[in-house]
Amino acid sequence: MGGLRHGSSSWHSSMIFFGTFGLGPFECFFCHKEVVPLEGQKRFHIHHEDEDYTNDDPSNLKPAHAKCHARHHALRSEEHTSELQSLRHL
């Protein structure tokens, strides 16, 4: 998989994911359309459902299109920023 460095958390997650579930294709956790890992890292990501990147339990690792995954984290970041701004006004 391009872009994965040996020893990185994404490499470790990938090894566990593919060792458990095979090479796919899979259903994207977010949009539910087919995602094919062999198309490259630019199009395929592994999402940690509980948002804990140290939790590589196979049940926590979800296949996703890179764009869907990025959109999810961008929205989470916006929500977090809004929550912090609300707390400042208390």
Side-chain angles (χ1 to χ4, degrees), residues 8-70:
S8 70
S9 61
S10 59
W11 181 84
H12 188 257
S13 300
S14 296
M15 295 306 293
I16 291 172
F17 181 85
F18 293 120
T20 302
F21 302 111
L23 296 177
F26 302 102
E27 181 180 296
C28 176
F29 181 70
F30 300 105
C31 73
H32 306 288
K33 294 180 182 174
E34 183 178 83
V35 59
V36 181
L38 296 178
E39 290 179 354
Q41 182 67 10
K42 291 181 180 178
R43 295 187 183 147
F44 180 82
H45 283 187
I46 296 172
H47 172 66
H48 289 78
E49 185 175 16
D50 68 358
E51 305 290 341
D52 177 358
Y53 301 105
T54 65
N55 180 3
D56 284 332
D57 185 281
S59 65
N60 188 46
L61 304 176
K62 306 299 180 187
H65 293 108
K67 287 184 179 182
C68 295
H69 193 217

